[in-house]
Structure formats: C-alpha cells, structure tokens
Amino acid sequence: MAATPKTSRKAKQPEAAMAPRRLRRPVLRWALRGLLAVAGFFALLVVLFSMLNPPVNIYQLQESARLGGVEREWADWDEIAPVMGRSAVAAEDANFCLHWGFDMAAIRAAVAQGGNRGASTISQQVVKNVFLWHGRSYLRKAMEAVLTPAVELIWSKQRVLEVYLNVAEFDEGVFGVQAAARHYFGVEARDLSALQAARLAAVLPDPKGRSASKPTSFVRQRTRAIMSGAETIAADGRAACFED
C-alpha cells in the first residue's frame, strides 16, 4: 500500500507568506478611501466658503469654552473701511497681491535667520484659522501647504482678506474687525479711521499681549509704520487685487 504523501513545510511557506499581503490590501484600500473622503470634505468646504461665511472655527470654540463666551460679528467687505484692508496687508503680508499663497522671499529670509521671524502669509493664516487648528505640528503644516494653494485658486484675493479680517483675533476673545472696532473704539468697522485701522493691525499677531486702546511704545511705533506702509501699497499698486 502506497504511503500518502505529506505536505512539506516548504510547500506551506508561500501560502503563509501570502496571508499578510491579503490583509494589507483591504487595509490600504480603506486607508485610501479615507484619505479621499477627507480630501473631498475639505475641497467642499473650500468651495462653500468662497461664497458662504464660515460659521465658527476650532480656535473660537476653544476660546469660547475657556472664557465662557467670545465677541464676534461678521462684517461684509463693503462694511469694512478700505483703509483697514490696506493696514492689515501692510502689517502682515505686504506682498499679498503678488504671491500665490506663499511668500517665497519671506520664507527664504526666515530660513536664513534661523526661523526667528515669521513668514506666514494672510492666505496661510486664513487656512489655519478657518479649516485647521492652532499649534505646531507637521500634520497641520502639511495640510496648510495643500489647502493654501486651493484657497488661492478658488477664492478671490478680496475674499481671502475679507475672511481674514473676520476671523482674526484682535483682543482676548474678540474676533473680527467689527467686534474689534466696537470693543476698542466704539465705532463700526466701516467708520474706522486710518489711525484706528493701523492700531488694530498693530496688535497682530499678538492680540493677547498688545492693546489697540492702550498702546505701548512698541505698538505706537508699529502703528506709524503700518500707516506709512498702507499708504505705500495704495500708491504702488500692491492693494489693487483686493480694492474695488
């Protein structure tokens, strides 16, 4: 009687090796689907917020929980004094009309100085404030790097600046230029003077450490520089992309 052949260990090894591969395939498939779903979600938000005003962001929710409430009120572009837009650009991103979301010259200067100076554009700050969260992390910076060109592609420069002025924090728990104008000066955003607009811009990007109504010598000096800068960008055409 012939002996039944036994399956050798060597014959079983290829089949055992295939098992992890079969397991990896569905995992990779679902991971890809998850990434596509996240990308689609953010793409939808970018398109929607080009027309609709963002209702709230993560940082505002955090501050509202911490402080027990925040001051915020939306002001459309035609409800904001034109000098406020010029002042914000002069203070935070003088080449706003010249770049596509990233100011490469400012980035190179920041790298040359060892990262001691900021190079974040207004467009990048809008992406961080509207879609992402505050804090340093490689994930947030990577998402910011992807979303910023998308926002620049779909939104107008005027829309980017309008959203920026409405989500920026100007004092602890005070968000948006309308709330800030009332909080500091008791006026509407459309009635801000050149000095008041420059004072508001001067508190950025440190609204918790600076005050527009009780300016330190540093804030006063920065205010004068911003007023001069706002006049300069109006004269040399660097405000043309967001002014009617």
Side-chain angles (χ1 to χ4, degrees), residues 147-212:
L147 287 170
T148 298
V151 166
E152 281 276 336
L153 179 65
I154 296 173
W155 296 16
S156 67
K157 286 285 191 177
Q158 186 180 97
R159 178 59 174 170
V160 172
L161 188 54
E162 177 188 13
V163 173
Y164 173 75
L165 290 172
N166 277 284
V167 299
E169 186 178 26
F170 289 91
D171 195 1
E172 188 172 42
V174 179
F175 294 91
V177 65
Q178 179 73 296
R182 291 174 176 173
H183 173 78
Y184 281 118
F185 308 118
V187 301
E188 301 297 299
R190 62 162 52 93
D191 298 322
L192 285 166
S193 67
L195 175 61
Q196 290 168 338
R199 282 275 179 85
L200 289 181
V203 306
L204 303 172
D206 185 20
K208 291 183 173 66
R210 304 173 189 171
S211 171

Side-chain angles (χ1 to χ4, degrees), residues 18-138:
M18 290 294 290
R21 295 180 185 176
R22 294 195 190 101
L23 182 62
R24 283 198 297 268
R25 287 176 183 173
V27 171
L28 291 173
R29 190 180 302 118
W30 280 106
L32 179 59
R33 289 175 179 174
L35 287 174
L36 290 174
V38 171
F41 172 73
F42 279 105
L44 178 62
L45 288 183
V46 170
V47 173
L48 284 177
F49 291 160
S50 69
M51 301 170 287
L52 304 176
N53 299 332
V56 70
N57 60 50
I58 295 172
Y59 180 65
Q60 289 173 351
L61 290 173
Q62 291 173 333
E63 288 297 275
S64 182
R66 183 177 71 88
L67 299 171
V70 296
E71 298 177 48
R72 53 187 291 267
E73 183 179 346
W74 191 274
D76 292 332
W77 181 255
D78 58 5
E79 297 174 327
I80 301 172
V83 70
M84 185 67 238
R86 294 193 295 271
S87 296
V89 169
E92 292 291 286
D93 188 1
N95 293 321
F96 177 65
C97 286
L98 306 180
H99 62 65
W100 49 276
F102 301 98
D103 189 338
M104 302 310 296
I107 291 173
R108 286 192 292 269
V111 172
Q113 294 184 17
N116 293 324
R117 56 170 288 177
S120 183
T121 64
I122 283 176
S123 303
Q124 289 176 268
Q125 292 179 56
V126 165
V127 166
K128 178 185 69 175
N129 288 331
V130 173
F131 301 103
L132 303 174
W133 61 94
H134 287 211
R136 295 179 180 275
S137 73
Y138 289 114

Side-chain angles (χ1 to χ4, degrees), residues 7-22:
T7 304
S8 67
R9 291 183 179 179
K10 290 183 179 180
K12 290 182 179 180
Q13 282 178 354
E15 184 178 348
M18 290 294 290
R21 295 180 185 176
R22 294 195 190 101

